[in-house]
Amino acid sequence: TRHTLLNYCSYVQWVPGSDVVVAQNRGNLCVWYSVESPDRVTNFPIKGEVEDIERSKGRTEVIVDEGINTVSYALDESLIEFNSLLEDRDYDAAVEVLEPLELTPETEAMWHELRNAAVEDRKLVVAQRCSAALGDVAKAQFLGGINADAKAAAAAEGGGDGLEHFAVKARLAMMAKQWKVAEGLLLENGQTEACIQMYREIHRLDQAVAVAESKQHENVDTLRREHLDWLKQTGQEEAAGGVKERE
């Protein structure tokens, strides 16, 4: 997806050797430490024109020509370093860069970016640490549960990382809201009860009933009543009537 980062742009350039973008909009110097979050931008008011970006010996400066004087604006080297580490998939080092920093819009965007990359690469301990840093307790706990399942599977299998176990793959699918993928994994492995519980937790009682019916589950009548009651309680009278007719 394309995003317009800035209008009235007189200067734009990548910081050398990084994914950080520097641009000028009239009297503002704009820096995107994470282009994955275009709305998270650091602004510096300036009184001139950006001339260049200089990077050497662990320091990055934007050079601004103010007419009489030339002024330099130092960028946050730790945030620039983060991008290089993420590109190298050095997730533990990226965590170490972010952990001492205050949670600002820029660092929050980076924690999200790191978590997404870690989940995609199945580095789930890192993803859990990111969730904790963001204050996302529910996701941190959910990832903790996946990590526990993976450890148990690895122990049972006598080695490996346990990430190929169906329970781990099913939970990862749930986290990505790929409910049908999770359903398939659970039902293929005889976990009808877990599948029904998954749908109950996300208030998809129609799907819970469908699974129970397909597997001739002993509590199918109870689930049907629960679904009907929930539709009535949430003001979905027409849908409730449709369910009654099908019964």
Side-chain angles (χ1 to χ4, degrees):
T1 305
R2 290 188 176 186
H3 295 279
T4 300
L5 292 179
L6 199 63
N7 294 314
Y8 309 111
C9 184
S10 57
Y11 177 94
V12 62
Q13 190 61 259
W14 296 99
V15 170
S18 81
D19 288 334
V20 176
V21 175
V22 172
Q24 181 176 356
N25 167 286
R26 295 174 174 165
N28 287 305
L29 171 63
C30 308
V31 183
W32 285 268
Y33 288 104
S34 173
V35 290
E36 296 294 320
S37 302
D39 56 323
R40 304 298 175 99
V41 55
T42 302
N43 292 300
F44 301 88
I46 58 174
K47 298 176 181 177
E49 300 297 322
V50 176
E51 273 196 340
D52 197 11
I53 303 169
E54 295 181 355
R55 191 177 189 196
S56 64
K57 296 179 181 177
R59 187 171 175 82
T60 303
E61 295 180 325
V62 180
I63 310 303
V64 177
D65 182 1
E66 293 189 347
I68 299 172
N69 301 312
T70 299
V71 179
S72 63
Y73 291 82
L75 302 186
D76 191 321
E77 197 62 33
S78 60
L79 299 187
I80 295 171
E81 182 190 0
F82 167 84
N83 285 281
S84 300
L85 293 169
L86 193 60
E87 193 171 320
D88 294 340
R89 296 160 76 181
D90 192 346
Y91 301 127
D92 290 328
V95 168
E96 287 175 13
V97 166
L98 292 182
E99 276 189 329
L101 303 178
E102 184 184 350
L103 193 64
T104 65
E106 292 79 17
T107 55
E108 184 180 349
M110 289 175 169
W111 279 116
H112 278 289
E113 192 176 352
L114 178 56
R115 181 171 69 182
N116 292 342
V119 168
E120 190 174 338
D121 225 9
R122 300 208 289 187
K123 303 298 182 185
L124 304 183
V125 172
V126 172
Q128 186 180 359
R129 288 172 74 185
C130 294
S131 297
L134 288 163
D136 190 342
V137 176
K139 190 156 278 187
Q141 289 177 339
F142 193 82
L143 281 159
I146 299 176
N147 284 321
D149 284 349
K151 280 183 182 177
E157 292 163 4
D161 55 18
L163 294 176
E164 290 303 314
H165 192 270
F166 80 88
V168 174
K169 291 168 81 171
R171 287 192 131 202
L172 285 170
M174 290 178 207
M175 198 166 71
K177 298 184 178 179
Q178 297 172 342
W179 309 115
K180 284 296 179 184
V181 173
E183 176 187 320
L185 286 161
L186 292 170
L187 294 183
E188 284 167 14
N189 289 277
Q191 300 296 308
T192 303
E193 198 69 51
C195 188
I196 290 170
Q197 187 58 29
M198 172 186 77
Y199 282 127
R200 290 181 73 188
E201 287 174 1
I202 62 169
H203 304 295
R204 290 293 306 275
L205 291 169
D206 56 331
Q207 294 298 316
V209 170
V211 168
E213 288 174 342
S214 72
K215 295 296 181 181
Q216 299 179 326
H217 193 273
E218 60 184 1
N219 291 331
V220 66
D221 290 332
T222 303
L223 283 166
R224 286 189 187 123
R225 285 195 297 274
E226 187 180 337
H227 181 214
L228 196 60
D229 289 345
W230 182 77
L231 289 172
K232 289 175 180 176
Q233 288 165 10
T234 54
Q236 301 179 64
E237 298 294 340
E238 192 175 333
V243 169
K244 283 293 281 182
E245 282 178 20
R246 285 194 295 277
E247 288 180 359

